[in-house]
Structure formats: C-alpha cells, structure tokens
Amino acid sequence: MSTPLNPACQNCKDRFSSIFCKADHSNLELIDAAKVCSSYKKGQVIFHEGAYPFGVYCINDGKIKLSHSGDDGREQIVRLVKAGDIMGYKALLSNERYTATATALEDSSICFIPKDLFLNVLQKDASLSFEMMRILSSELRKAELKITHLAQKPVRERLAETLLFIKETYGLEADGHTLNVRLSREEIANLVGTATESAIRLLSEFKKDGMIELEGKKIRLLDMPEIIRTANLHD
Amino acid sequence: MSTPLNPACQNCKDRFSSIFCKADHSNLELIDAAKVCSSYKKGQVIFHEGAYPFGVYCINDGKIKLSHSGDDGREQIVRLVKAGDIMGYKALLSNERYTATATALEDSSICFIPKDLFLNVLQKDASLSFEMMRILSSELRKAELKITHLAQKPVRERLAETLLFIKETYGLEADGHTLNVRLSREEIANLVGTATESAIRLLSEFKKDGMIELEGKKIRLLDMPEIIRTANLHD
DNA sequence: CGCGTCCAATGACTTGCGTCAAGCGCAAAA
DNA sequence: TTTTGCGCTTGACGCAAGTCATTGGACGCG
C-alpha cells in the first residue's frame, strides 16, 4: 500500500527463522524477483475477512494480529504474527476466501508473494512444502489446545496463559520483563476470549498479587506461577 | 490389535473420497504393500495422547473420536473421524507426541501406514502433499471457527451447531432425519464444550421446541433454525 | 485554552451455566 | 429373581463472568 522498497530475501534478517530457510536457492531467487514489499502503518488492514486471496504475505518487520469478527461484531484474535512468519496461506491452500482479517499492531514491513508463484514453488520444492505442513500442523495443535482451554479453564487461568503466550511470541524488552508489544485491554480480552472489563479486572488482580506490573499498555511479567508451564502454548 | 485382513487400497470403498485419491498409482501400490489393516471394537483406543507416533491411520470403515484430556481429567473432543479420513498426521508431521487420544465410537476397520513410508511418499508425490496441506488448512479453519464460537456464543447455540456438524460429518440414516452415529450425552457435551447436564437440559429444550426428537441415543433432526447455517462448520 | 474522544478502571447488577444431589430406568451380573 | 452399576434426567443452588453505567485521565484538535 505504500513505500515499496523490496529488500532482497537473501538479506532478510529473518531469512533463517522463516519457512523459506528450507527453500531451494533457485526457488528463493524466483520468489525474490516476484515479491513486492510494502509498509503498513499501525492499525492498517493488510487483508480482510471475506476477500479472495491473491498470494501470501511474509512479514519482514513488525507485528500483526489475525482476527475473526463474530456475528455480533465482537473480535476474536486467532493468531499473532511476527517477523519471519507468513500469513494468508490457509485461504490460499484451501482455495477459499480469507476467514480472518490481518491488522498491523505496529508499523510493519510486509512482502507479498503472488499466488501462482507460491503454489508453483510449493509443487516443485518438497522440503518447502514439508515445512509448510510442519507449520500447519503446529498451528493446528495450538488451535486445538486453545479449544480445550476455552472449554475447560476459567478466565483467570486463560489470561495468565495468554500473557505467557504473548511472551513466547513477541519476547521481552531489554529489561527482561516487559512484553515487547503494546496491546489494548480490548485486544487482550479478544485474545483470551472474554469481556474487556473482565480482562481489566483480572489484570488488576494479577498486579495486586505481585504477578505483573502495569504502566499504560506496558505489561511487565514478574512471578507468573509455574503451574501454567505445563499447559501453555509453546512450540 | 486384531483380525488383520488387508483389503487392497485400490478396492477401498472410500478410495476416491480420501486423501489418497490424489496419490500417484505407483505410490498407492507402495502404501498398499506396507499397510496393516486391523479392526477395533467400540470403545477401543487406537492411540493415546502422549505416545509417540509410528505412522498414520486411515479409516477403512467406522467412526472415531479424537479427544484431548484436560488437566482436570475432563475430555474435549476435537475431531470426529469417518471412513476415508486419516488421523495421526499432525503428530507425525510436527514430529511430536500425540496430543489427542483416538477412540472408536463403533466397531471400526483401520489401516496403519508406517511413518517412514508415508513421509517418503509425501516427499515424492507433490499432489499428495498438496492434498495434505489442503486437509490441514481445512482443519485449521474449522478449529479457528470453533475457537471464535466457544469464546462468543452461548451453549444453546453451540449445541445446535454441534448437531449440524455431526450431521455434516456422519450424515443421516435412511429415514433422512436420524443422525447416523450414537453418542452418549457426555460425548455430546464434550464436543460442545459444556457440562453433561447442560447438554441434556438443552437437548430436552430442543425437543420441547420441536426442533429434534430423542429416543435413547438416537437423535432425529426436524427443524433446526436456518440462522445457524451461516455459522456452522461445513466444508 | 477548553472541548471531545478514546481508553482504562471500578462498582453494581444480572444471569448463564457449572456443580451438587437425588431419583429413575435399563442392562448385565450374581 | 434380586442386585449392582451406569447413564440419563431433573431440580436447587451458587458463583463466575458478562452487561451496563459512571468516573477519571490522557491525548489530539479546533
């Protein structure tokens, strides 16, 4: 949507953590030639639920949320995307419309890879498609775990897990405690699957209990109970 | 676990609806030669959450449930498997232990395909692996939709969706109304993600409202409201 | 500068739904 | 037959959590 500058994939800082680290060199060059890199501002929508996909997006830099909008308009965040990740592959592979909306959580730089090229490379490159299956399996595993927790665990516990999940996904700032992303209380609630007020109240409780510190949108993790460890969404 | 009889894949009645309809002929023969077919009795466990996978299972005949057991021991059913479907691929592809337990809902006949062979064929056969990705994408889509509904919809609505989902999965009996599977109330509850008593109460309500008929484990669908249609778990 | 908007926070109220407990029918075992 | 046990059903109760409403602070804008 703006400022295309197309950095070479080979130089991409997340080259080795992304799916494409498995791709053959020649295929990487093909992708490199065809991709279009754009930057998006915080809050901007990259693609919309219901639209037809024309390719996949690879995050060069930034953070994205993928969310469903429920029938009553409430949003449910189903995935957090970081640099090196790709998104939009689900709709592409099943040849359907997007089931989620992608919105930038901060200013981001994102490469677009056209559908035909991506599918062609996927056909030719067995290790790339194997990696793709690995990613899909992992996402499916996380989703099924989330289903179980949503059905069985109280909000308090789910919120705690969510905070740890955010930590696993985006990591911590230099101080070693602050979550390296700014989310509104509403976004946190939509990630947990609860009402905004409930999320706020429980965050206050966590703070009172000395588990976290709050400063605006900054959240610092102090003593998150170990119990959660066994049940979180790690890879 | 019993009665191996190994019917040829080429003759399998679900040959054309399964993932293997996309596989190359020569690869199909390889699989045919290596697979082991067994029959399982109702209630029998095919594989257990936490165990290491040694291959994938392809349902020849029967019905299976895949379920997580929550920390408190409560079961959450995450998938219903039917003839022609495969299961166990997620653990295999991500090279982790099973995250779910597979239990036969009725007497079933299931083929086992060894890990190495399956992965090899997957490497060689692009259209098979593409089909695999399609399946994974579709499962992921359903899982994300279920997450949204669990987070946002009341139990009554989720139960109605679940009944329609069962219908989509296993179909109806000859009378055109009765769900073609027998599930306990507890299993229905574990599919919906609610307490058994709630499921029972709401089923009674549905009956009183003339939406369904109940006769033991038989459930006949009469007038399920159209509203649900837009939000169900179809393919 | 004051005004409006957005978001966080908290209190009060309501309720969906989970838990507990008791009764019932049916089928297998003794 | 009686007994035992299991799954289904219904009622009563309590609480977690959702909804509604108010306040206050931060920020941008005319």
Side-chain angles (χ1 to χ4, degrees):
Chain A
M1 298 286 173
S2 41
T3 333
L5 25 81
N6 274 23
C9 287
Q10 285 84 351
N11 301 330
C12 183
K13 72 187 172 69
D14 295 293
R15 154 124 175 59
F16 295 107
S17 62
S18 93
I19 177 177
F20 299 111
C21 66
K22 303 288 180 177
D24 190 273
H25 245 66
S26 61
N27 292 327
L28 204 57
E29 280 165 17
L30 279 175
I31 291 172
D32 202 29
K35 77 170 196 294
V36 180
C37 201
S38 312
S39 58
Y40 294 81
K41 288 213 294 271
K42 176 178 175 171
Q44 213 175 336
V45 169
I46 295 95
F47 57 78
H48 231 99
E49 189 171 354
Y52 284 97
F54 295 106
V56 292
Y57 296 85
C58 180
I59 315 305
N60 181 30
D61 193 36
K63 301 184 176 73
I64 315 290
K65 65 174 174 184
L66 287 179
S67 56
H68 289 188
S69 115
D71 308 334
D72 54 352
R74 225 168 78 207
E75 159 184 81
Q76 175 66 40
I77 300 181
V78 292
R79 204 178 137 212
L80 293 177
V81 186
K82 61 178 186 299
D85 289 348
I86 59 174
M87 59 183 189
Y89 50 82
K90 186 161 44 84
L92 207 62
L93 289 171
S94 60
N95 204 30
E96 311 221 1
R97 292 186 281 180
Y98 288 120
T99 54
T101 300
T103 312
L105 291 169
E106 54 185 49
D107 294 357
S108 302
S109 154
I110 304 175
C111 295
F112 174 81
I113 300 165
K115 173 176 176 167
D116 292 341
L117 178 73
F118 183 72
L119 292 180
N120 277 339
V121 171
L122 218 48
Q123 290 278 331
K124 287 187 301 185
D125 197 321
S127 52
L128 183 67
S129 56
F130 194 76
E131 182 63 15
M132 191 70 236
M133 287 185 250
R134 245 190 33 72
I135 291 174
L136 283 161
S137 298
S138 165
E139 290 298 322
L140 187 53
R141 217 178 85 259
K142 288 189 215 172
E144 288 178 352
L145 195 55
K146 187 154 187 173
I147 286 172
T148 303
H149 289 177
L150 228 20
Q152 302 191 349
K153 300 207 170 187
V155 175
R156 186 184 161 92
E157 209 163 330
R158 300 210 311 269
L159 174 60
E161 282 171 10
T162 299
L163 293 178
L164 290 174
F165 171 68
I166 295 171
K167 175 187 150 201
E168 295 307 317
T169 306
Y170 291 137
L172 301 170
E173 297 185 357
D175 68 359
H177 289 289
T178 308
L179 292 181
N180 193 22
V181 64
R182 297 300 127 92
L183 297 170
S184 71
R185 302 298 141 117
E186 190 183 3
E187 284 169 326
I188 293 174
N190 293 341
L191 206 41
V192 174
T194 188
T196 308
E197 295 93 324
S198 297
I200 290 174
R201 254 184 272 269
L202 287 167
L203 282 173
S204 302
E205 270 190 35
F206 285 1
K207 179 180 167 185
K208 205 168 55 191
D209 296 351
M211 292 162 58
I212 63 173
E213 279 177 7
L214 296 171
E215 186 189 332
K217 290 195 186 351
K218 279 188 194 173
I219 299 178
R220 263 185 294 277
L221 304 188
L222 304 177
D223 289 314
M224 297 298 288
E226 302 288 328
I227 314 113
I228 308 283
R229 290 281 162 75
T230 57
N232 61 15
L233 299 165
H234 291 197
D235 265 74
Chain B
M1 298 290 174
S2 41
T3 333
L5 25 81
N6 273 22
C9 287
Q10 286 84 351
N11 302 330
C12 184
K13 72 184 171 77
D14 296 292
R15 152 123 176 60
F16 296 106
S17 61
S18 92
I19 176 177
F20 298 114
C21 66
K22 303 287 181 180
D24 191 273
H25 245 66
S26 61
N27 292 326
L28 203 55
E29 281 166 16
L30 280 175
I31 290 172
D32 202 28
K35 76 168 194 296
V36 179
C37 200
S38 312
S39 58
Y40 294 83
K41 289 213 294 275
K42 175 176 175 172
Q44 214 177 333
V45 169
I46 294 97
F47 56 77
H48 231 99
E49 188 171 355
Y52 284 97
F54 294 107
V56 292
Y57 296 85
C58 180
I59 314 306
N60 181 30
D61 192 36
K63 303 184 175 72
I64 315 289
K65 67 174 174 183
L66 287 179
S67 57
H68 289 189
S69 116
D71 307 336
D72 54 353
R74 225 168 77 206
E75 158 184 82
Q76 175 66 37
I77 299 181
V78 292
R79 205 179 137 211
L80 294 177
V81 187
K82 61 178 185 300
D85 289 347
I86 59 173
M87 61 184 189
Y89 51 81
K90 185 160 46 82
L92 208 63
L93 289 170
S94 61
N95 205 31
E96 312 221 0
R97 291 185 281 179
Y98 289 120
T99 53
T101 299
T103 312
L105 291 170
E106 53 185 50
D107 295 357
S108 302
S109 154
I110 305 175
C111 294
F112 174 80
I113 300 164
K115 173 176 176 167
D116 291 341
L117 178 72
F118 183 72
L119 293 180
N120 276 339
V121 172
L122 218 49
Q123 289 278 330
K124 286 188 300 185
D125 197 322
S127 52
L128 183 68
S129 56
F130 194 76
E131 183 63 14
M132 190 71 238
M133 286 186 250
R134 246 189 32 73
I135 291 174
L136 283 161
S137 298
S138 164
E139 289 299 321
L140 187 54
R141 216 178 86 260
K142 289 188 215 171
E144 288 177 354
L145 195 53
K146 185 152 189 175
I147 287 172
T148 304
H149 289 177
L150 270 173
Q152 300 190 349
K153 300 205 169 187
V155 175
R156 185 183 161 92
E157 209 163 331
R158 300 211 309 272
L159 174 60
E161 282 170 9
T162 299
L163 293 179
L164 290 174
F165 171 68
I166 294 172
K167 175 186 149 201
E168 295 307 317
T169 306
Y170 290 136
L172 300 171
E173 296 185 359
D175 68 358
H177 289 290
T178 308
L179 292 181
N180 191 23
V181 64
R182 298 299 128 92
L183 297 170
S184 70
R185 304 296 141 116
E186 190 183 4
E187 284 170 327
I188 294 174
N190 293 341
L191 205 40
V192 175
T194 188
T196 307
E197 295 93 325
S198 297
I200 289 174
R201 254 183 272 269
L202 288 167
L203 282 173
S204 303
E205 271 191 35
F206 285 0
K207 180 180 167 185
K208 205 169 56 192
D209 297 352
M211 293 163 57
I212 64 173
E213 279 177 6
L214 297 172
E215 185 189 332
K217 289 197 189 350
K218 279 189 194 173
I219 299 178
R220 265 185 293 279
L221 305 188
L222 305 177
D223 290 316
M224 298 298 289
E226 302 289 328
I227 314 117
I228 309 282
R229 291 281 162 73
T230 57
N232 63 14
L233 298 167
H234 290 199
D235 265 71

